[in-house]
Amino acid sequence: ITHPLFKCLHGFDNWWAQKFLIEALSILLLDPDDILFLSRKDSLGGYYVERGVMNYKQDPVAGRLDCAFNTTVSVGEWLSEVALWVFWQHTGECQTLEPCQVLLVNAAALTNSLVLVSDVSALARSYAQEYHKKLTLAVYPLDTPTDLHVPNTEWSELVWCMEPEYRIQISTQAMDLTKDTAAEPELIDPKQVQRKSQQGQGVHGPMFRRSWS
């Protein structure tokens, strides 16, 4: 799975990664015109498109917009990623345009797996707190969060806001990954993380709504 947080957590604990793969992930095989989810329904989790093309129709009421609009969703894109970190209702409807394969990350199963490993849980909690903070700061109508996008929640933006100890852990993991593979575009510059961490810059976000102990 391509999400940079999951890649990072996999590097910290392989046992957790195996449990996450078995319990939290499922593959959905969809025919043309199948409905992936409906507007204003509780989201099961995040959806990652592995094959095919879908149409996402924004609900103007749920999304607090002036009119509905359609967006094409294709391979490599996430839908409803926000549901991994907060309780979320869909702001639109998603329907397949051709045969599709979608990876579902079940939010409840993800949370259950994270509580099992303290180091993994602590880092994920910090990330989730910062994600929730960005969500609560999103202002209608310019920054309205939807199933497709929550403003200012790119990997690098959230990492910069995490506590120094977690930024150091992530930068160390990034350096370890570059020893065996080519540098990945989503991995942040370890030197910059180290410098920023040494300056003691850190932000404590609000409590994670999908909290674990």
Side-chain angles (χ1 to χ4, degrees), residues 25-43:
L25 300 186
S26 57
I27 296 175
L28 308 179
L29 300 177
L30 306 172
D31 292 324
D33 298 322
D34 278 353
I35 301 295
L36 181 62
F37 55 75
L38 294 170
S39 179
R40 290 181 254 182
K41 298 295 185 180
D42 292 342
S43 177

Side-chain angles (χ1 to χ4, degrees), residues 28-37 47-57 70-79 93-103 148:
L28 308 179
L29 300 177
L30 306 172
D31 292 324
D33 298 322
D34 278 353
I35 301 295
L36 181 62
F37 55 75
Y47 300 88
Y48 179 77
V49 183
E50 294 189 308
R51 177 169 56 85
V53 178
M54 296 184 288
N55 179 71
Y56 175 79
K57 184 178 181 180
N70 293 281
T71 302
T72 299
V73 182
S74 55
V75 174
E77 296 188 69
W78 281 89
L79 286 153
E93 175 183 300
C94 189
Q95 185 173 19
T96 59
L97 299 177
E98 60 185 44
C100 293
Q101 179 172 308
V102 177
L103 189 67
L148 298 178

Side-chain angles (χ1 to χ4, degrees), residues 1-8 48 78 81 84-85 127 131 155 186:
I1 189 167
T2 63
H3 196 292
L5 176 64
F6 298 143
K7 286 184 177 181
C8 185
Y48 179 77
W78 281 89
E81 180 190 348
L84 298 176
W85 316 118
Y127 177 90
Y131 197 107
W155 169 246
E186 296 233 47

Side-chain angles (χ1 to χ4, degrees), residues 2-165:
T2 63
H3 196 292
L5 176 64
F6 298 143
K7 286 184 177 181
C8 185
L9 297 178
H10 184 182
F12 286 130
D13 194 290
N14 188 62
W15 178 86
W16 172 84
Q18 294 300 317
K19 192 167 186 63
F20 166 69
L21 289 171
I22 294 171
E23 298 185 0
L25 300 186
S26 57
I27 296 175
L28 308 179
L29 300 177
L30 306 172
D31 292 324
D33 298 322
D34 278 353
I35 301 295
L36 181 62
F37 55 75
L38 294 170
S39 179
R40 290 181 254 182
K41 298 295 185 180
D42 292 342
S43 177
L44 295 175
Y47 300 88
Y48 179 77
V49 183
E50 294 189 308
R51 177 169 56 85
V53 178
M54 296 184 288
N55 179 71
Y56 175 79
K57 184 178 181 180
Q58 177 69 53
D59 181 342
V61 175
R64 301 174 63 191
L65 300 173
D66 294 332
C67 61
F69 64 86
N70 293 281
T71 302
T72 299
V73 182
S74 55
V75 174
E77 296 188 69
W78 281 89
L79 286 153
S80 187
E81 180 190 348
V82 59
L84 298 176
W85 316 118
V86 302
F87 295 109
W88 180 257
Q89 286 192 339
H90 292 296
T91 59
E93 175 183 300
C94 189
Q95 185 173 19
T96 59
L97 299 177
E98 60 185 44
C100 293
Q101 179 172 308
V102 177
L103 189 67
L104 167 63
V105 182
N106 184 277
L110 169 63
T111 300
N112 291 337
S113 73
L114 288 169
V115 302
L116 301 175
V117 182
S118 59
D119 290 343
V120 168
S121 177
L123 192 149
R125 180 194 294 272
S126 180
Y127 177 90
Q129 287 174 336
E130 296 307 327
Y131 197 107
H132 183 253
K133 180 178 180 179
K134 298 296 185 183
L135 176 63
T136 59
L137 292 175
V139 179
Y140 169 84
L142 297 179
D143 293 330
T144 303
T146 70
D147 293 304
L148 298 178
H149 178 65
V150 175
N152 304 312
T153 55
E154 296 298 323
W155 169 246
S156 58
E157 293 183 75
L158 294 175
V159 170
W160 293 136
C161 296
M162 293 169 68
E163 297 173 8
E165 63 178 295

